Amino acid sequence: MLRGQVRSAVRWLTERMNDGGVLDPSQLVNDGSKRVLDVLREKHPDPANSGTQAFLPCHHLPPLTDVDVTGSHIEHVARRPSIHADYAAALTPLIASLTDLTNWSQCWYADDLACAAKIPKLREWFDNLCKLGPAYGYYPEPQKTVVVVDEVDEAEANACFGDIGVKVSRGQCYLGGFIGDPEGTKHYVEAKEADDSRGRPALISIRGVWQPQTAVLLDVRVIDTDAQSYASRTVDAVLCSAEQEKKRKYSAAVEDRRASFTPFVVSVDGVLGHDAQHLMKRLCDQIAVKWEKSHSEVMGVMSLVSIF
């Protein structure tokens, strides 16, 4: 056992040298005087508090670091694409159990959920969600749930959902867009335009580059590395500095969209920055699989396209 021969030792203990299997707790071992369960109990006695003699004397405790975990830290971790992908896979049985194409239509994006139906059927669906969800680790909160309806249906919706505290509204933001009446949509678009004018980048969006179903947003910058202001710096240093500047300026805004950000920085001579090279390599790898070509062949085509 001490040499790591766990499997051999177990087989020797159970007199099954040539085959494995699950141990039966009531099975007799060795000379037949003890059961497997008795041997295990001898090896693993009941837990007990250690005596004071087991502790080393210590007069000074080591310093402790106070770590303040805020809501923003939790939100940042929760928005990682891998977290959402794993969570979405775990919710697949719940989605299937709630599927009813006759009475309602669902839209799931990881743990973000929407459903369209007549108001009574919508309440039936939500009750089923609250009943079945906890078994799959999904806990609906009525106080954070919004029912979007037309003005003519507002009274019916309030009567149907008022007892559980669900908010009834004529419009609501959902997955980076807006669902609701034209007036609310207008205000939402105007607010987005105002945000863009305050420094959000004009971005190119590509889905599925780094993570499945997750967009990467690109902001392109072309730099004249031969300019007099860059005379004392290398080309790589100029491109790297521009990449870091882009990240400082736009990364937080891009994270609000649940996406990743890659600055695509290139010199007027066609020299790519580090992040741009990494992106091009990733795209070539994915295209090579799709075209069933080698990486070098696809890279040659990409290089020609870049030149022209």
Side-chain angles (χ1 to χ4, degrees):
M1 295 287 279
L2 295 177
R3 296 180 180 178
Q5 302 295 326
V6 177
R7 180 178 298 177
S8 298
V10 170
R11 290 180 178 176
W12 174 82
L13 179 66
T14 58
E15 298 181 352
R16 288 178 294 181
M17 298 298 296
N18 298 322
D19 61 345
V22 178
L23 295 175
D24 184 353
S26 61
Q27 181 178 345
L28 298 177
V29 294
N30 294 341
D31 57 357
S33 61
K34 293 183 180 181
R35 301 174 301 163
V36 170
L37 185 60
D38 298 328
V39 175
L40 292 176
R41 282 175 174 168
E42 290 176 359
K43 288 183 177 181
H44 305 283
D46 294 334
N49 293 327
S50 301
T52 55
Q53 68 276 7
F55 297 94
L56 296 175
C58 181
H59 302 292
H60 301 285
L61 293 176
L64 300 178
T65 303
D66 184 16
V67 179
D68 185 17
V69 179
T70 65
S72 61
H73 294 129
I74 297 173
E75 182 181 7
H76 179 72
V77 173
R79 286 182 173 181
R80 290 179 181 175
S82 60
I83 299 294
H84 282 275
D86 295 341
Y87 193 24
L91 293 177
T92 301
L94 173 61
I95 298 172
S97 64
L98 290 171
T99 300
D100 185 343
L101 300 180
T102 304
N103 294 311
W104 52 69
S105 178
Q106 302 179 99
C107 176
W108 289 75
Y109 183 79
D111 60 342
D112 289 324
L113 169 60
C115 180
K118 297 291 185 180
I119 292 176
K121 290 297 181 181
L122 192 62
R123 175 59 191 268
E124 178 185 342
W125 168 85
F126 188 74
D127 288 342
N128 289 337
L129 177 65
C130 293
K131 179 181 178 181
L132 300 175
Y136 300 94
Y138 191 88
Y139 298 89
E141 299 183 62
Q143 294 77 13
K144 296 183 179 180
T145 303
V146 180
V147 175
V148 179
V149 296
D150 291 331
E151 182 178 1
V152 295
D153 299 319
E154 200 165 359
E156 181 185 358
N158 278 312
C160 190
F161 288 92
D163 61 316
I164 56 175
V166 171
K167 177 184 176 182
V168 176
S169 175
R170 299 180 192 174
Q172 176 68 24
C173 297
Y174 180 66
L175 294 181
F178 187 85
I179 301 174
D181 59 3
E183 188 66 23
T185 303
K186 179 182 177 182
H187 290 316
Y188 174 81
V189 172
E190 290 175 349
K192 283 293 184 182
E193 290 176 345
D195 286 341
D196 291 340
S197 66
R198 287 195 292 267
R200 292 203 176 190
L203 298 169
I204 301 170
S205 177
I206 308 175
R207 186 172 294 276
V209 176
W210 306 121
Q211 294 285 345
Q213 302 303 319
T214 301
V216 57
L217 304 182
L218 313 179
D219 189 67
V220 180
R221 180 176 178 182
V222 181
I223 302 178
D224 182 6
T225 53
D226 296 324
Q228 187 63 32
S229 56
Y230 301 134
S232 61
R233 303 165 63 186
T234 65
V235 173
D236 288 341
V238 173
L239 298 178
C240 182
S241 176
E243 288 177 339
Q244 295 304 317
E245 180 184 349
K246 289 283 187 184
K247 290 177 180 178
R248 286 193 299 270
K249 189 174 182 181
Y250 297 131
S251 290
V254 170
E255 286 181 1
D256 290 341
R257 306 183 186 185
R258 298 190 178 184
S260 60
F261 176 65
T262 298
F264 196 93
V265 180
V266 59
S267 74
V268 293
D269 302 316
V271 179
L272 298 176
H274 177 270
D275 288 345
Q277 293 179 30
H278 192 35
L279 176 69
M280 292 292 286
K281 182 179 183 301
R282 177 68 173 177
L283 291 175
C284 285
D285 290 340
Q286 293 181 325
I287 294 174
V289 172
K290 186 173 183 179
W291 288 357
E292 297 182 351
K293 300 289 184 180
S294 67
H295 177 86
S296 58
E297 289 178 293
V298 176
M299 181 60 79
V301 174
M302 297 284 281
S303 299
L304 289 174
V305 172
S306 301
I307 293 173
F308 290 101

